[in-house]
Every structure is written in structure tokens, then in C-alpha cells.
Amino acid sequence: MSSDQDHLKETDTEARFEFKKEENAAFETEKGLTEETVRVISEDKDEPEWMLERRLRALEQFQQMPMPEGWPGAPDLSEVDIEDIVPYIRPDIETRGGAESWEDLPEEIQDTFDKLGIPEAEKNALSGVGAQYESEIVYQNMQERWEEKGVIFCDMDKAVQEHEDLVKDHFMTKCVPPSDNKFAALHGAVWSGGSFVYIPEDTTVEMPVQAYFRMNSEGMGQFEHTLIIAEENSEVHYIEGCSAPKYSAFNLHSGGVEVFVGENAHVQYSTVQNWSKNTYNLNTKRAICEADGTMEWVSGSMGSKATMLYPSTVLKGPGATDNHITIAMAGEGQDIDTGAKVYHNAPETKSTIESKSIAKDGGRTNYRGLVHIADGAEDSSTSVECDALMFDNDSTSDTMPYMEIQESKVDVAHEATVGKIGDEDVFYLQSRGLDDDDAKQMIVAGFIEPITEELPIEYAVELNRLIELEMEGSLG
């Protein structure tokens, strides 16, 4: 094992995620959401008029749309009251749009990301890194060799100013419009921060780029927006990490992700989310994939009080491919509702969905998915596999797959399994010298291996450690 891996294994992961800092904001809005709030956010960012107009239209849609209701088995969102949320907090740093060096950040923010291991990861395994604290990016960097090839990796606020035509054409227009759902509309009204990634034609970025989003303040909402544009024959792997300490008041995370995959391009979007157990995690993520393009989603969700997360892909061109690999873990008082959506809108498209879920101490996990194969999308194929692992009789795991097949000349497969950790398996491992806890952790590690093997080693180690802490009841 390398020294980097040794360091990660020995890190006190619980301390890394559970610490909290004294709130120190340069500017923040009042609680609640009004037209004045939206105008204040836009003015503080010095945005062009067209972005303010989009925000105000999204606000109007948010006010008109109902909360998600009538979904079988949906998480309880009755506690989510936007009037109790602070939607925008600008941290107290001198450089708007992110410092160029970690040393330029205030000491308390430096300490936060040092504990999370972000500067170390940048040195060892990344082409670029961005770090968001509260509502704004505080650090952004891209290796010079990629900038020379025309790769853009910057925060969304900077992109609005410096890459206006690209943003204006793609931002919440074709992929995730505010009309998609109530929380997409909320996001469109108050979004702040996030990443803009542009990969030119015929360019492969060999090492991943990463963004890390940290909520530090009690009772806030974080609404970062990620926009990735991969042109024809390009390739990139984007990694997202998220965390927040535990407070008595609830927090809200409602991010937005839009990915545009050009012809024969390849994008992998990996995320490891470890929100505290007072956080509602309600995201909207979607990709549009052109002919022969490939989109891959790899996600791990844990820690929140309730999660509703269903990354979706529109396979727009012939030969386009989509792969989803997800893991969800729920403990006491948690309802983790995750899944995937795929729309086959062209012939010879292919999708695979592999979902893993773990429930313990009365927690609930649910796979909620949709596969739509349109009339005319002949010779397309889809495979959905859902596996659930439960620790006790008080926990719940549900599977709700929806198939809308409008074309006869297709291949469709679905498989689901639900099981408990077997006493025989635990006994066998104990006979090999492991105690009860270590035996169960080894079984879980094998169960989630299809997820971890898709991540760089640093993040696979971290995900395994987070799950160990969840099993111990140590997080949140």
C-alpha cells in the first residue's frame, strides 16, 4: 500500500467531517425567499440582466408549483420550510471568485479544507480542484497544461461573466429547466457557486477534476450549479464531494447539475455525499448525450435526514450509452430515496443501472427509477439491477422500477434482490479471526465493491471509511 493510501486509512474520518467553524460571513441574506432576496443575490454578484430575469422567472415558477406529493413511499418533506432557510451566505474572503492559492484564504477556511484533505488530493491525483464554502467558491485551480489546450474549469459566477455565450445557451435551458420540479425552480432562483467545465473537441483530460462543497452555517441552504460541456471526441472525469456538520436546525441542499455530452465524447460524474443527519438533500441532475457518446454516473449517498436524488440521462443520438452505479445507506431516522432515469430517444442506445442500498437501525432506502424507450428507438437495450442489504427487521428497503417501453424491437432486463446479512457468513469470517463488527464491515465492503472500483483509490478508501462510521453510528 502506498504512503498516500496509508495516510488516508489512518485519517480520523469522523473528525474530518463532523467539525464545525464559527460563522464568519461577509454578507448574507435574510431568511426566506422573496423577489427582493433574488434581486439582492444577483446584485451582490454583479450579474448581467439576463441572469436576473431567469432567476425571477424561476422564482415565479417555484411559487406556483406544489411540493412533490402523491409519490408512493416518498420521504416526508413537511419540515422543509423555505422561510426558515438562509439562501445565500458569502464567506469573508478578499478575492471574489476564488483565491489562486490555499495560503490566500482565511485561516479558518484553510483549516476546513485541510481537514477534508482537499489540498493533498490536488497535489496527488487531480487535474484541477474547486472548493466551495457556504454559497461561493473560495478556491479554484486548473493545471496549466490543460488550460493551454483550451480546457476551462472555473466557478459558475466567473463563467457567467467571462464565458457568457456558452452559459447563456446552456444554463437551465435545454437540460434542467426550472419547470422540471419545484426544487429545480428554487435552485434556478437562488443558485450560487458551483463549477463550469468545458472540454474542447478531441481533448482527453487524463486525471479527474474535483469540486468540494461544504456547508458550515446552521439553517442555511446551498444551491451550487454544475455545468459540464464535453465537445465531440472529448473525455473528462468530474468528482464531487459534499459534507456538512450536524446542527439542531435543518439545512437544505438543492444543487443542480447539467451535463452535455457531445458525439463520441465520454463523461464520468462521480459524487460522494456525506451530509449531516439534519440535512435535506434534494438535487436535480441530468445529462444529454449525443450520438455514440457515453455518460457515467457513480454516486454514494449517506448521512442526510432525507434524500431525493435521481440523476437522469437523455440518450439523444444513435449509439449513445448511459451507465448508472449508485449506493445509498440509511440508518436511524433516515429516508434515502435514490435512483436513476434514462430516456432512450434514438436507435441503438444502451443503458445499465446498478443500484446498491444498505439499511440499518430502522432506516429506509428506496430505489426509484424510470427507463423510457421511445417509439422508434429500435435495437436499444437496458438492464436494471437492484440489490438491497438489511441489518435488522426494523429497517426497510423498497424497489420501485418504472418501465415505459414504446418500441417492440428492444432488449429489457430487470433484476432485484433483498437480503439480510447471513449468520453463516458472519460465523465463517469469525472463524477466520474477525470479530462481529469487522466481519459485517467486510461483507458490506464486498457488497459495494462495484461502486468503489469505479472511483480513484483515494475516494474509494474514503467511501469505505464513511460506511464503516455509518455502521458504527458515529456520523451525524
Side-chain angles (χ1 to χ4, degrees), residues 39 51 186 195 208 232 249-250 256-257 373 405:
R39 290 185 178 277
M51 180 56 78
L186 172 65
S195 299
E232 184 176 351
F250 82 89
V257 175
I373 301 182
I405 312 300

Side-chain angles (χ1 to χ4, degrees), residues 433-451:
L434 298 180
D435 63 23
D436 183 74
D437 288 341
D438 287 342
K440 290 177 179 178
Q441 287 173 6
M442 179 171 285
I443 292 170
V444 169
F447 180 72
I448 67 169
E449 186 176 2
I451 307 281

Side-chain angles (χ1 to χ4, degrees), residues 11 20 47 56 73 126 135 177 184 218 254 319 353 368 434 470:
T11 298
K20 53 189 80 167
E47 291 179 339
L56 293 174
L126 301 172
S135 297
E218 183 174 11
S254 186
I353 299 172
R368 190 185 304 270
L434 298 180
E470 285 282 354

Side-chain angles (χ1 to χ4, degrees), residues 27-49 51-56 59 82 85-90 96 132 134-136 157 160-161 171 185-193 220-224:
F27 174 79
E28 66 180 83
T29 60
E30 298 292 329
K31 287 184 178 182
L33 180 58
T34 65
E35 181 177 328
E36 179 62 21
T37 303
V38 173
R39 290 185 178 277
V40 165
I41 293 172
S42 187
E43 181 180 359
D44 191 59
K45 295 175 176 293
D46 194 25
E47 291 179 339
E49 186 67 24
M51 180 56 78
L52 173 60
E53 292 174 357
R54 290 192 187 182
R55 288 182 181 274
L56 293 174
L59 172 64
I82 304 304
I85 285 289
V86 177
Y88 179 66
I89 300 177
R90 172 159 53 87
R96 296 296 298 271
Q132 178 158 333
E134 313 295 32
S135 297
E136 292 214 343
D157 295 303
V160 170
Q161 305 290 344
F171 181 87
L186 172 65
H187 173 88
V190 297
W191 76 271
S192 182
M220 77 163 290
Q222 192 173 71
F223 305 96
E224 81 284 347

